[in-house]
Structures are given as C-alpha cells and as structure tokens.
Amino acid sequence: MQKRLEVCVDSVESAVIAQKEGADRLEVCANLMIGGTTCGVSQFKQIRKLCDIELNVLIRPRFGDFLYTAAEFQMLADDIEMFRELGADGVVVGCLKADGTLDCEKMKQLRDKADGIHMTLHRAFDVCKDPYQTLEEAVSLNIDTILTSGQACDCQKGKEVLNQLIEQAEDRIEILLGGGVNADVIRQLKKEIHASSFHMSGKHKTDSGMIYRNTQVNMGFGSFSEYELFYTEGCKIREARQALDEN
C-alpha cells in the first residue's frame, strides 16, 4: 500500500508549511474549526500557485449535516466543476439521505461533474447508517478515497471499524484515516491495523497581532475568541511524516 500523508489546511500560510514539512496532498478548505467548508476562489488560486503537490478541495456549502437542499446541491455541483477547471486535483464531498444512507444518485452526479479527477467521500461517511454497505456503494461509484475516523470521535477509538474497512476495501478504495492523527497515532495504527494513509491538520493556536481588542463583541460562536488564530504547525507535520516513513 502506498503511504500517504494528507494535511487539511484553511489558509495559504498553512498550505505552504504543510508542503514544506512533507505532506503528499492537501485538502484545501475554509473554516476548519467548524469542520471545514468550501474555500474561496482566491485562496485556492494562491495555494495552487505556491504548492505543486496534489490539491483536493473540500466541497461543503455550510456547517452541519449532509442532507442538502436542492439549492445546496446545485452549489456542490457548480463548485466541483469550477474548482476542476481551476486546476484542483480532486474534490472532497459527501451527500446522505435522511435515513442515513449514502445518496448514491446525487453522488453519481457529483462524480460525473468531477470528470476524471480524484474524489474523496468525506466524513459524512462517519455519520452514515451502515459503513460497510456505504463502502461498497462508494466503490461502485468509482470514488477513490474514503476519509473516516471509523465512525468514532477519533481514529484511535474507531480502530476496530477501521480495521474491518481496510480489510474489506482490499485495495479497491483508499481508506484515509482522520480524526486525532499525529505521529504517535500513525505509529500505533500502522502497526495495529496496517493503515498507510493518514489525514491531519496539525493546527496550533496563535495569538492575534491585534493590540486593541474589544472583547465585548463576538462575531460568531461565543466559545471562540476573535483573537485566537489557528495555523498548521510545521513540526507536527514533520514528525508525522517521519513516523509514516519509518519501517
């Protein structure tokens, strides 16, 4: 199995750091602190200009579940087509039905829109009703990768499901482990379940450069400070790369 380290980034600065420290592929998004949403066009263009590794773009119009309205689905389809034309190597997307099954009809339409570039079924997979059935459906749709924590809060807690998924996949589809990934987790799950593909952000909190601060006003979630920023930490990616490459 090919070893792969994918890093999820929501800024140009983080993308540059991740590539420098050994990422094989980037998942480009916005708003990583709420699970990620579709990135801006100018953000993608800057990253594409500065990074020569594979760029997969997260296509997710909003925070929340993966049951999309007609308007939201049209956004998914349009954004996939747009980013493909802009030079994305792949897209990261997922649609579910209300009963928790994969919306295969919608996913087929999106696979057609992707028109030959890489497609990852993202962690909508982790809230689907039956991961083993969904894996088979993903294979039938020619989806290339499933990003999953094993239907748990992190991939260590989901390792038993992940082990079954890796065995079931039989190299027909990449099982990309996400959720709580760091160098130690990579070493553990390489050994225990023979995982070889990992997804991480390696983010760390950075204090804003603002000197004047009005702490009485909040622009969104009250639990988030407007003066705390998150960027990829180079040493975390470098350590993960080393762990993945170890025999």
Side-chain angles (χ1 to χ4, degrees), residues 43-225:
Q43 175 190 346
F44 174 79
K45 286 182 175 179
Q46 287 193 59
I47 293 173
R48 179 76 288 172
K49 182 177 180 180
L50 294 170
C51 297
D52 57 10
I53 59 177
E54 293 179 11
L55 302 184
N56 288 356
V57 178
L58 176 64
I59 307 295
R60 187 183 181 212
R62 57 162 171 79
F63 169 80
D65 65 28
F66 307 101
L67 179 65
Y68 292 116
T69 66
E72 289 170 340
F73 179 71
Q74 189 62 54
M75 292 168 66
L76 295 175
D78 290 349
D79 283 347
I80 287 174
E81 190 170 20
M82 175 182 66
F83 282 107
R84 177 177 58 80
E85 293 174 353
L86 287 172
D89 297 291
V91 292
V92 183
V93 68
C95 300
L96 299 180
K97 293 182 179 180
D99 65 0
T101 59
L102 187 68
D103 194 327
C104 292
E105 181 180 346
K106 284 187 170 63
M107 290 300 292
K108 184 180 185 305
Q109 293 179 55
L110 298 179
R111 174 72 270 186
D112 291 343
K113 285 287 185 181
D115 193 23
I117 64 173
H118 193 100
M119 177 176 276
T120 297
L121 170 57
H122 60 38
R123 292 186 66 197
F125 182 87
D126 282 328
V127 293
C128 76
K129 188 175 182 179
D130 184 338
Y132 309 110
Q133 175 186 330
T134 301
L135 184 151
E136 295 302 328
E137 292 168 341
V139 170
S140 71
L141 290 164
N142 294 317
I143 292 171
D144 302 286
T145 297
I146 295 173
L147 170 60
T148 175
S149 61
Q151 295 207 316
C153 292
D154 63 62
C155 60
Q156 285 180 299
K157 293 178 180 176
K159 68 180 179 181
E160 292 184 7
V161 172
L162 289 167
N163 187 40
Q164 294 181 61
L165 292 169
I166 290 170
E167 290 182 358
Q168 181 182 342
E170 295 182 330
D171 297 334
R172 296 175 297 158
I173 189 168
E174 178 186 31
I175 304 299
L176 178 65
L177 277 59
V181 171
N182 58 33
D184 290 337
V185 170
I186 290 173
R187 289 188 180 95
Q188 176 191 349
L189 296 185
K190 276 175 56 182
K191 179 179 180 180
E192 292 184 3
I193 63 173
H194 307 293
S196 60
S197 294
F198 294 89
H199 169 101
M200 65 182 294
S201 64
K203 58 184 176 292
H204 73 109
K205 184 168 63 177
T206 301
D207 194 46
S208 166
M210 286 294 297
I211 298 173
Y212 172 74
R213 301 185 179 194
N214 183 347
T215 58
Q216 303 305 309
V217 179
N218 192 279
M219 300 296 168
F221 293 101
S223 57
F224 292 163
S225 169

Side-chain angles (χ1 to χ4, degrees), residues 29-48:
C29 69
N31 302 310
L32 187 53
M33 290 304 295
I34 56 170
T37 56
T38 307
C39 69
V41 171
S42 59
Q43 175 190 346
F44 174 79
K45 286 182 175 179
Q46 287 193 59
I47 293 173
R48 179 76 288 172

